[in-house]
Amino acid sequence: MTARSSLTVVLAAGEGTRMRSSLPKVLHPVANQSLLAHVLRAAPNGPGTRLAVVIGPDHQAVADEARKVRPDAETFVQRERLGTAHAVLAAREAIARGADDLLFVFGDTPLITAETFERLRAPLKNGAALTVLGFRAADPTGYGRLLMQGDRLVAIREHADASAEERKVTLCNAGVMAFDGKTALKILDKIGNANSKGEYYLVDAVTIARDMGLEAVVIETNEDEVRGINTKAQLAEAEGVMQARLRKVAMEAGVTLIAPETIFLAADTAFGKDVTIEPFVVIGPGVSIGDGAVIHSFSHIVQSTIGKNASVGPYARLRPGATLGDSVHIGNFVEIKASVLEAGAKANHLSYIGDAEVGANTNIGAGTITCNYDGFFKHKTIIGTGAFVGTNSSLVAPVKIGAGAYIGSGSVITKDVPDDAMAVERSQQSTREGGAKRYREIKMKQKNKQL
Ligand code: UD1
Ligand code: CA
């Protein structure tokens, strides 16, 4: 049996006025991904699938987002908002090129899943002309009602056009529909605008299909999956549903979430085995956490890679480009940005490490700051393996600290320090030199033992 080809048309031309935002509605984020990205990721993908997004005029940012998520996406502009059927036909050119299955979905329903698209397509294989996704609404006000005769779908009535009797129906139209490509355009072209709003309603396809002697079928899902986002309050509700899903998936994959409801994840967070996350942790996009790592409370992590058995926090901040090797320890009030810390490196207290490379097993003392910015440009700090940076040191970049070097506490390092050298700040040289000498002595003893 050959797989059926598909074209998914995502309707995203809405203004989203009720969001009261200058950002187009479908670009608002849930779990750090735009509403549109969620829908595009759930839509059929891979060989034999095509995707079109219908956008409003002046919504270039929506087109850009669509292509970022799905480089194969075509975009079509709906110049006037004359209704959902009119919006679908803005993509007529793509529809006319033909596909076995046509899927229409709204860009503001981010909780829809790939499985639901597959369930919707199934009846088309068996000869149905169209399938409608339905759900039982706790409060059906505002939704189109699915009017059934037994288990046959005969019409969808928009709330505004429904009789008092019809309004009692709680089985509602989720807005996602699948059409058999052979008859779709014939049906769509017959949709008129004789209703209370004077709009071309996609839902009228049901009655038209029936009149043509074709079959229309309902597939049911739960309300959570088809929540449409119109307001910031609904955006927050969707975030709640999405977070609950992400936490569940993480726990099913073996991640220990000590207080799941306090932990925020991104849709793309990647976990190794036996990861533990303590309460009140926020994880943004682009984070991967290696096997056995522990993220302690109140840490905030974005676009970072955390190695196996690493320990982060409490109160750590990992900003974009933080790459922690295996068994790295990042402690409280430490901020890391665009830096690589190799295996076993430690920065346990009160530090800023930005634009740096820190060698394996190097210890960064409390209060160490990489002074990466000179007011004009960012510079790099490169620290070799096994170095010791004493507390409260400022490493003024660009600067290199050699492998095994010792930096006395309170130092302001402005020049490169060679491998195994000691460097101390002049004004308090004698005190620091004492520390440096002790460090040296211990190192020597360790070395001698190894000999
Ligand atoms: C729609 C359905 C309703 C369903 C509900 C589910 C129709 C006529 N009604 O109603 O049966 O219960 O969704 O949430 O389909 N859009 C465009 N261009 C237009 C009009 C709409 O792109 O000209 C897009 C909107 O951006 C939105 C979607 O289509 O993403 C739905 O439009 P909206 O006006 O929100 O329809 P509802 O009244 O919610
Ligand atoms: Ca809507």
Side-chain angles (χ1 to χ4, degrees), residues 312-371:
V312 173
Y315 297 100
R317 179 167 184 213
L318 302 187
R319 291 173 50 203
T323 304
L324 311 186
D326 295 350
S327 303
V328 162
H329 283 205
I330 300 301
N332 39 247
F333 306 109
V334 173
E335 172 181 349
I336 314 267
K337 184 216 72 169
S339 296
V340 179
L341 280 79
E342 281 167 10
K346 290 191 176 78
N348 273 326
H349 330 268
L350 301 148
S351 271
Y352 170 63
I353 307 204
D355 304 307
E357 286 168 24
V358 178
N361 300 316
T362 280
N363 186 81
I364 306 287
T368 297
I369 305 290
T370 55
C371 310

Side-chain angles (χ1 to χ4, degrees), residues 15 17 22 31-32 82 94 96 106 204 213 255 282 284 309 335 363 371 375 413 416 437:
E15 289 288 347
T17 344
S22 52
N32 286 288
L82 301 179
F106 298 159
D204 288 350
V255 180
V282 176
N309 301 314
E335 172 181 349
N363 186 81
C371 310
I413 302 295
D416 291 357
K437 267 186 198 141

Side-chain angles (χ1 to χ4, degrees), residues 289-303:
I289 305 178
D291 297 352
V294 180
I295 312 297
H296 298 277
S297 293
F298 306 108
S299 294
H300 191 281
I301 304 172
V302 175
Q303 285 170 33

